[in-house]
Amino acid sequence: MTVAYQAYGAQQQNALGGRTGEAHAFAEAARRLHEAKDEGRRAVIQALKHNLSLWTQVQAEVSAPDHPMSPALRDNILALSIFVDRRTVEAIADADPGLLDALIDINRGMAQGQMTPTATTPDSA
C-alpha cells in the first residue's frame, strides 16, 4: 500500500514513506473521523470523503495484478474496503455519528498493523 499515504498530504509524504507513511495516513483518517463526530454534519461529510479517498487508493493498489501481497491478505483487505464503502454511504445518508465508530476502529487497526514490523515487508516499501 505504498500509495495509501498519499492521502495524508504532500508535506508528510516528503518526511514519511513506506509503512510508516501508510500508518500515519490511516491514523490521520481515524483522527479526522473521531473529531468530526463532535463538529457537526459538514465535518463528518468531509472526514468521510477523506477516508473514502484513502480507501479508494488502497483498493486500487491491492487490486493490481502484480501487487506482492498474498492473495488471501489481498482478499481480506478488499473485503474490508467494501465494508468501508458501505458504511461510508450509510454514514453520509444517516446523521448518526455512531456510524463512524467502526470506520475509526478499522483505520486505527490498519495504522497499528502498518507499524508492526514484518520480515517480508520492509519499511521502505
Side-chain angles (χ1 to χ4, degrees), residues 53-114:
S53 174
L54 173 63
W55 278 93
T56 299
Q57 291 176 23
V58 170
Q59 290 169 350
E61 186 168 339
V62 300
S63 295
D66 61 342
H67 195 281
M69 189 179 288
S70 74
L73 185 54
R74 284 172 44 163
D75 289 347
N76 287 339
I77 297 290
L78 288 171
L80 190 57
S81 72
I82 291 168
F83 173 82
V84 168
D85 289 348
R86 289 180 181 159
R87 179 53 62 100
T88 299
V89 170
E90 186 180 0
I92 288 172
D94 188 337
D96 179 8
L99 291 172
L100 303 182
D101 292 339
L103 298 173
I104 293 166
D105 290 343
I106 289 167
N107 287 341
R108 287 178 177 163
M110 291 294 289
Q112 182 64 37
Q114 292 300 93

Side-chain angles (χ1 to χ4, degrees), residues 117-122:
T118 65
T120 58
T121 308

